[in-house]
Amino acid sequence: MKYISKLAQIAALCILCSANIFASGSFDKAISRFCQSNAMRNARVGICVVDLKSGEVVGESAMNEAITPASVMKIVTSATALKTLSEAYHFQTTVNYDGYIDHNGVLHGNLIVNGGMDPTMDSRHFPDQESFISGCISEMKRIGLTKIEGKIIIDESVSPDPAVPMQWEDADVVEYYGSGVHAINYLDNEFSLIVDLSGRRAAVIDTVPHLSELKIVNNVVIGGKAYSPSLSRKKNSNVLYMRGNVRRQSEPIELWTTMPHPADALYNDLVETLAYEGITVENGTIDNRGVSYPLYTHLSPALPEIIKSLLTRSDNMYAEAVLRALALNDTTFATREMAVSCERRILEDWGIDTQSVTIYDGSGLSRANSITPAFLADVLTHMANDEAYGDLFPSLFPVAGENGTVKKLLKNSPLKGKMALKSGSMTGVLCYAGYYPAEHPQYAVVLMTNKYRCSYDALKKAIETLFEGMFADEER
């Protein structure tokens, strides 16, 4: 009986080994076809597929070559933040007062709003979250505050860096995805210009919300049949340029862009709401020498909710705030360089080599980022095998064919709904990284392409064929 049992063990081992060889063969065959396809002619390609149980690389091509990651960089940011800060982490924006409040509800001092880099404050992506201003004023009413003799002070010392990193492109700054991260982030750091086109010249009526620090250079021309208004602004500048031709019309138009200084908008909205609620701000000069007392604390959603939102929508501002949170966890202020240094140290503590990669930001918007497929696969593998976060982390990814930036990928494929993937794209760059299957993953998957010359549709089709080929055996 022992002899038969031993033979059975050997047979089982042989079956397992042959299955692994067969699987590796299917990965290699699919990867080879993809790399030699017309879509990848003259392109740079990096691929790494890791068996999460064994930790073995079961398919690869140039996996140690560092190339531009675009938004798959957000995976690294999200992983290090989630494990380091924990799923119970919340960004905090606190409101303090100095001086004292008398029995008539008069504050003989200043109201101080302390920025905490919360990217979700009054964000449209969390519509059920309480508004910062509503929560703050509710607390003022609860304690009977009627007047503020001093000023409303916005303390942004937590973020001494320029909001927009210097390696980002000026052209991105006015786009919704190019908003920098500030100590105070408000309304997704976006605003609208209301422009009157009924007269001889285009006239800016106002901004929503009101921005008192914004300077607008209006070079819009009314006339003709063209409609091509455009906005531009240099990094970290409060000067916005309006250009282009527009048709004369009776109804105003609305142009959306990013705020150069969201704290300006928050201040104006807070003052306006206080006046509406009957709480006077006298703006007197009062120096109480830095002694202050807590009034209100505004909490963001929990970190996993923020990460799910930023991975699904590929939100650059959210990602930059999450990166800075790593530095805030160690000290009282955070620069980009401090946060990147923290992230490198965390990754090295996990046993992941960071020497061959360049980490510039948390979002991947800069082309200064450069990572290898093997590095990213190591991060994915580490998180999937983590005892505390192994189930949670993959569940935060968008699912191919179903939602987020990968909603259209694999939607007509047998793999629809079966891959948890983050995409990353910019001109000449298309990357995907994540897990197969989406639930209870067995593999970490990284595909990075740079400098491709084919059309986006041709590349997308080639990538779908690659994924289908790699996991055809698993789907049988």
Side-chain angles (χ1 to χ4, degrees):
M1 292 296 292
K2 289 182 180 179
Y3 179 69
I4 294 174
S5 177
K6 188 69 174 176
L7 285 176
Q9 290 176 22
I10 293 171
L13 184 60
C14 289
I15 291 169
L16 180 61
C17 289
S18 64
N20 287 337
I21 292 169
F22 184 70
S24 296
S26 63
F27 285 118
D28 291 341
K29 191 179 297 182
I31 290 170
S32 178
R33 280 199 300 263
F34 176 77
C35 293
Q36 294 172 24
S37 67
N38 289 333
M40 288 294 95
R41 186 175 295 165
N42 300 320
R44 296 177 66 192
V45 183
I47 299 173
C48 186
V49 184
V50 176
D51 184 313
L52 293 174
K53 279 190 178 179
S54 67
E56 293 181 5
V57 175
V58 295
E60 66 93 11
S61 177
M63 69 177 188
N64 293 310
E65 183 177 354
I67 53 181
T68 304
S71 282
V72 294
M73 196 73 210
K74 293 178 175 71
I75 294 171
V76 183
T77 304
S78 300
T80 51
L82 181 62
K83 188 169 176 181
T84 303
L85 303 174
S86 89
E87 59 188 299
Y89 180 85
H90 299 261
F91 287 90
Q92 296 187 17
T93 306
T94 61
V95 180
N96 292 4
Y97 66 92
D98 58 22
Y100 68 96
I101 301 172
D102 67 22
H103 66 280
N104 292 317
V106 176
L107 169 58
H108 301 275
N110 305 292
L111 193 74
I112 306 146
V113 180
N114 302 291
M117 285 193 172
D118 178 3
T120 70
M121 191 184 296
D122 289 43
S123 171
R124 66 181 179 276
H125 305 299
F126 287 95
D128 296 331
Q129 191 77 0
E130 182 180 34
S131 160
F132 168 80
I133 291 177
S134 295
C136 183
I137 289 180
S138 291
E139 186 60 22
M140 291 180 188
K141 286 185 168 182
R142 189 189 68 80
I143 64 174
L145 192 68
T146 59
K147 182 190 293 185
I148 300 169
E149 285 193 334
K151 303 178 187 297
I152 295 176
I153 298 169
I154 310 290
D155 184 349
E156 298 181 84
S157 59
V158 71
S159 178
D161 252 359
V164 178
M166 297 310 295
Q167 288 289 341
W168 285 17
E169 299 291 332
D170 279 343
D172 292 334
V173 171
V174 292
E175 304 294 341
Y176 73 94
Y177 59 81
S179 171
V181 65
H182 303 252
I184 293 286
N185 302 294
Y186 180 56
L187 295 171
D188 300 307
N189 296 352
E190 296 174 26
F191 74 100
S192 65
L193 285 157
I194 311 301
V195 185
D196 179 9
L197 302 177
S198 63
R200 296 180 63 185
R201 290 178 53 84
V204 176
I205 300 172
D206 200 356
T207 65
V208 180
H210 181 65
L211 300 174
S212 52
E213 298 174 3
L214 181 70
K215 297 179 180 179
I216 300 173
V217 179
N218 183 358
N219 294 319
V220 170
V221 176
I222 291 183
K225 297 181 179 180
Y227 184 79
S228 58
S230 66
L231 303 173
S232 64
R233 181 167 63 85
K234 292 189 178 295
K235 287 185 287 286
N236 305 304
S237 168
N238 68 338
V239 181
L240 181 69
Y241 293 88
M242 298 173 55
R243 298 181 177 88
N245 298 301
V246 294
R247 298 180 297 273
R248 182 176 284 106
Q249 60 183 58
S250 58
E251 294 296 321
I253 63 169
E254 190 174 17
L255 302 175
W256 281 89
T257 186
T258 57
M259 299 184 198
H261 190 201
D264 178 26
L266 178 68
Y267 174 87
N268 291 324
D269 278 1
L270 181 56
V271 169
E272 182 180 332
T273 309
L274 285 169
Y276 178 80
E277 296 291 342
I279 301 173
T280 307
V281 182
E282 295 193 341
N283 283 311
T285 300
I286 300 175
D287 183 4
N288 288 309
R289 303 192 180 278
V291 179
S292 65
Y293 310 95
L295 176 70
Y296 171 65
T297 297
H298 182 82
L299 298 180
S300 74
L303 185 58
E305 295 177 67
I306 295 174
I307 289 175
K308 188 174 184 64
S309 181
L310 81 85
L311 289 178
T312 300
R313 297 179 298 102
S314 201
D315 192 305
N316 294 319
M317 188 267 285
Y318 273 41
E320 295 303 324
V322 169
L323 177 68
R324 301 310 191 282
L326 293 174
L328 286 180
N329 191 50
D330 285 350
T331 184
T332 56
F333 66 98
T335 66
R336 178 190 57 78
E337 289 184 346
M338 290 169 62
V340 169
S341 179
C342 287
E343 184 169 74
R344 281 185 171 275
R345 187 174 66 249
I346 292 163
L347 292 166
E348 287 162 3
D349 287 345
W350 293 357
I352 296 175
D353 180 20
T354 65
Q355 296 305 306
S356 59
V357 303
T358 300
I359 301 174
Y360 179 79
D361 61 27
S363 62
L365 188 57
S366 170
R367 289 181 182 270
N369 295 294
S370 179
I371 66 175
T372 68
F375 164 80
L376 189 51
D378 281 346
V379 174
L380 290 164
T381 301
H382 180 88
M383 290 302 292
N385 289 329
D386 186 87
E387 187 174 331
Y389 298 104
D391 291 330
L392 175 61
F393 188 64
S395 74
L396 303 179
F397 282 61
V399 177
E402 293 188 354
N403 53 37
T405 58
V406 293
K407 184 176 183 178
K408 295 183 180 179
L409 184 74
L410 299 167
K411 69 175 182 178
N412 298 315
S413 163
L415 291 180
K416 177 185 177 181
K418 296 182 179 179
M419 294 191 76
L421 290 172
K422 176 74 193 79
S423 66
S425 63
M426 55 176 61
T427 303
V429 176
L430 186 58
C431 305
Y432 293 99
Y435 298 102
Y436 171 88
E439 294 184 10
H440 310 298
Q442 299 172 31
Y443 298 96
V445 183
V446 179
L447 164 66
M448 301 175 69
T449 66
N450 281 196
K451 298 183 178 179
Y452 64 89
R453 304 278 180 88
C454 64
S455 69
Y456 173 82
D457 288 341
L459 178 55
K460 178 172 166 285
K461 180 60 179 174
I463 289 172
E464 290 179 327
T465 301
L466 167 67
F467 288 153
E468 290 169 1
M470 286 198 300
F471 299 111
D473 296 331
E474 301 290 336
E475 290 297 306
R476 288 196 179 103

